CSV table of all heavy atoms in Angstrom, one decimal:
chain,number,residue,atom,x,y,z
A,36,GLU,N,34.9,-65.3,-2.5
A,36,GLU,CA,35.3,-65.4,-1.2
A,36,GLU,C,35.4,-64.0,-0.6
A,36,GLU,O,35.0,-63.7,0.6
A,36,GLU,CB,36.6,-66.1,-1.0
A,36,GLU,CG,37.0,-66.3,0.5
A,36,GLU,CD,38.3,-67.1,0.5
A,36,GLU,OE1,38.6,-67.9,-0.4
A,36,GLU,OE2,39.0,-67.0,1.6
A,38,PRO,N,33.9,-60.6,-1.8
A,38,PRO,CA,33.3,-59.8,-2.8
A,38,PRO,C,33.7,-58.4,-2.9
A,38,PRO,O,33.9,-57.6,-1.8
A,38,PRO,CB,31.7,-59.9,-2.4
A,38,PRO,CG,31.7,-61.0,-1.4
A,38,PRO,CD,33.1,-61.1,-0.7
A,47,LEU,N,25.3,-53.1,-10.8
A,47,LEU,CA,23.9,-53.0,-10.6
A,47,LEU,C,23.2,-51.7,-10.8
A,47,LEU,O,22.1,-51.6,-11.4
A,47,LEU,CB,23.5,-53.6,-9.1
A,47,LEU,CG,23.8,-54.9,-8.8
A,47,LEU,CD1,23.6,-55.4,-7.4
A,47,LEU,CD2,23.0,-55.9,-9.8
A,60,PRO,N,13.3,-58.6,-12.8
A,60,PRO,CA,13.3,-59.0,-11.4
A,60,PRO,C,14.7,-59.5,-10.9
A,60,PRO,O,15.1,-59.3,-9.7
A,60,PRO,CB,12.3,-60.2,-11.2
A,60,PRO,CG,11.4,-59.9,-12.4
A,60,PRO,CD,12.3,-59.4,-13.6
A,66,MET,N,20.3,-57.1,-6.1
A,66,MET,CA,20.4,-55.9,-5.2
A,66,MET,C,20.1,-56.3,-3.8
A,66,MET,O,20.9,-56.0,-2.9
A,66,MET,CB,19.4,-54.8,-5.7
A,66,MET,CG,20.1,-54.0,-6.7
A,66,MET,SD,18.9,-52.6,-7.0
A,66,MET,CE,19.7,-51.7,-8.4
A,85,GLY,N,36.6,-61.4,19.7
A,85,GLY,CA,37.8,-60.8,19.2
A,85,GLY,C,37.7,-60.2,17.9
A,85,GLY,O,38.7,-59.6,17.4
A,98,VAL,N,18.0,-53.4,6.4
A,98,VAL,CA,17.0,-52.6,6.0
A,98,VAL,C,17.0,-52.3,4.5
A,98,VAL,O,16.0,-52.4,3.7
A,98,VAL,CB,16.9,-51.3,6.8
A,98,VAL,CG1,16.0,-50.2,6.1
A,98,VAL,CG2,16.6,-51.5,8.2
A,133,LYS,N,12.0,-64.2,5.5
A,133,LYS,CA,11.6,-64.9,6.8
A,133,LYS,C,12.8,-64.9,7.8
A,133,LYS,O,12.7,-64.8,8.9
A,133,LYS,CB,11.1,-66.3,6.5
A,133,LYS,CG,9.7,-66.4,5.9
A,133,LYS,CD,9.4,-67.8,5.5
A,133,LYS,CE,8.1,-67.9,4.7
A,133,LYS,NZ,7.8,-69.2,4.1
A,156,VAL,N,12.1,-44.8,11.0
A,156,VAL,CA,10.9,-44.8,10.1
A,156,VAL,C,11.3,-45.7,8.9
A,156,VAL,O,10.4,-46.5,8.5
A,156,VAL,CB,10.5,-43.4,9.6
A,156,VAL,CG1,9.6,-43.6,8.5
A,156,VAL,CG2,10.1,-42.6,10.8
A,159,PHE,N,11.2,-49.5,10.2
A,159,PHE,CA,9.8,-50.0,10.4
A,159,PHE,C,9.0,-50.1,9.2
A,159,PHE,O,8.2,-51.1,8.9
A,159,PHE,CB,9.1,-49.1,11.5
A,159,PHE,CG,9.6,-49.3,12.9
A,159,PHE,CD1,10.1,-48.1,13.5
A,159,PHE,CD2,9.7,-50.5,13.4
A,159,PHE,CE1,10.6,-48.3,14.9
A,159,PHE,CE2,10.2,-50.6,14.7
A,159,PHE,CZ,10.6,-49.6,15.5
A,165,ALA,N,8.3,-56.1,4.3
A,165,ALA,CA,8.7,-57.5,4.5
A,165,ALA,C,7.5,-58.2,4.7
A,165,ALA,O,7.2,-59.2,4.1
A,165,ALA,CB,9.7,-57.6,5.6
A,171,PRO,N,0.7,-64.4,0.4
A,171,PRO,CA,0.5,-65.3,-0.7
A,171,PRO,C,0.1,-64.6,-1.9
A,171,PRO,O,-0.5,-63.4,-1.8
A,171,PRO,CB,-0.6,-66.2,-0.1
A,171,PRO,CG,-0.6,-66.0,1.4
A,171,PRO,CD,-0.1,-64.6,1.5
A,232,ASP,N,-2.6,-28.1,6.9
A,232,ASP,CA,-3.6,-28.7,6.0
A,232,ASP,C,-4.8,-29.0,6.8
A,232,ASP,O,-5.0,-30.1,7.2
A,232,ASP,CB,-3.0,-29.9,5.3
A,232,ASP,CG,-4.0,-30.4,4.3
A,232,ASP,OD1,-5.1,-29.9,4.1
A,232,ASP,OD2,-3.6,-31.5,3.7
A,235,GLY,N,-7.1,-31.6,5.0
A,235,GLY,CA,-6.6,-32.9,5.1
A,235,GLY,C,-7.0,-33.5,6.6
A,235,GLY,O,-7.2,-34.6,6.7
A,239,ILE,N,-9.9,-36.9,9.3
A,239,ILE,CA,-9.2,-37.8,10.2
A,239,ILE,C,-9.8,-37.4,11.6
A,239,ILE,O,-10.1,-38.3,12.5
A,239,ILE,CB,-7.6,-37.6,10.3
A,239,ILE,CG1,-7.0,-37.7,9.0
A,239,ILE,CG2,-7.0,-38.4,11.3
A,239,ILE,CD1,-7.1,-39.1,8.5
A,246,LEU,N,-14.9,-42.7,16.3
A,246,LEU,CA,-14.3,-44.0,17.0
A,246,LEU,C,-14.0,-43.7,18.5
A,246,LEU,O,-14.2,-44.7,19.3
A,246,LEU,CB,-13.0,-44.3,16.3
A,246,LEU,CG,-13.0,-44.8,14.9
A,246,LEU,CD1,-11.6,-44.9,14.3
A,246,LEU,CD2,-13.6,-46.2,14.8
A,263,ALA,N,-12.0,-20.5,14.3
A,263,ALA,CA,-10.9,-19.8,13.6
A,263,ALA,C,-11.5,-19.2,12.4
A,263,ALA,O,-11.3,-18.1,11.9
A,263,ALA,CB,-9.6,-20.5,13.3
A,295,TYR,N,-19.2,-19.4,22.7
A,295,TYR,CA,-20.0,-18.2,23.1
A,295,TYR,C,-19.1,-17.1,23.5
A,295,TYR,O,-19.4,-15.9,23.2
A,295,TYR,CB,-21.0,-18.5,24.1
A,295,TYR,CG,-22.1,-19.4,23.6
A,295,TYR,CD1,-22.4,-20.7,24.2
A,295,TYR,CD2,-22.9,-19.1,22.4
A,295,TYR,CE1,-23.4,-21.5,23.7
A,295,TYR,CE2,-23.8,-20.0,21.9
A,295,TYR,CZ,-24.1,-21.1,22.6
A,295,TYR,OH,-25.1,-22.0,22.1
A,306,GLU,N,-23.5,-18.5,31.6
A,306,GLU,CA,-24.5,-19.7,32.1
A,306,GLU,C,-23.6,-21.0,32.0
A,306,GLU,O,-23.7,-21.9,33.0
A,306,GLU,CB,-25.6,-19.7,31.1
A,306,GLU,CG,-26.6,-20.9,31.4
A,306,GLU,CD,-27.6,-20.8,30.3
A,306,GLU,OE1,-27.9,-19.8,29.8
A,306,GLU,OE2,-28.3,-22.0,30.2
A,325,LEU,N,-14.7,-17.4,33.2
A,325,LEU,CA,-15.8,-16.7,33.8
A,325,LEU,C,-15.3,-15.3,34.3
A,325,LEU,O,-16.0,-14.3,34.2
A,325,LEU,CB,-16.4,-17.5,34.9
A,325,LEU,CG,-17.7,-16.9,35.5
A,325,LEU,CD1,-18.8,-16.6,34.5
A,325,LEU,CD2,-18.2,-18.0,36.5
A,339,LYS,N,-18.8,2.7,26.5
A,339,LYS,CA,-19.8,3.4,25.8
A,339,LYS,C,-19.5,4.9,25.8
A,339,LYS,O,-19.1,5.5,26.8
A,339,LYS,CB,-21.1,3.1,26.5
A,339,LYS,CG,-21.6,1.7,26.4
A,339,LYS,CD,-22.7,1.4,27.3
A,339,LYS,CE,-23.9,2.3,27.1
A,339,LYS,NZ,-25.1,1.9,28.0
A,373,ARG,N,-2.1,-13.0,36.4
A,373,ARG,CA,-1.7,-11.9,37.3
A,373,ARG,C,-2.1,-10.5,36.7
A,373,ARG,O,-2.7,-9.7,37.4
A,373,ARG,CB,-0.1,-11.9,37.3
A,373,ARG,CG,0.3,-10.8,38.2
A,373,ARG,CD,1.9,-10.9,38.4
A,373,ARG,NE,2.2,-12.0,39.2
A,373,ARG,CZ,2.8,-13.1,38.7
A,373,ARG,NH1,3.2,-13.2,37.4
A,373,ARG,NH2,3.1,-14.2,39.5
Side-chain angles (χ1 to χ4, degrees):
E36 189 174 336
L47 291 174
M66 274 188 182
V98 168
K133 286 174 187 174
V156 171
F159 289 124
D232 185 359
I239 306 297
L246 293 171
Y295 290 121
E306 179 187 336
L325 184 54
K339 289 165 62 176
R373 182 177 293 109

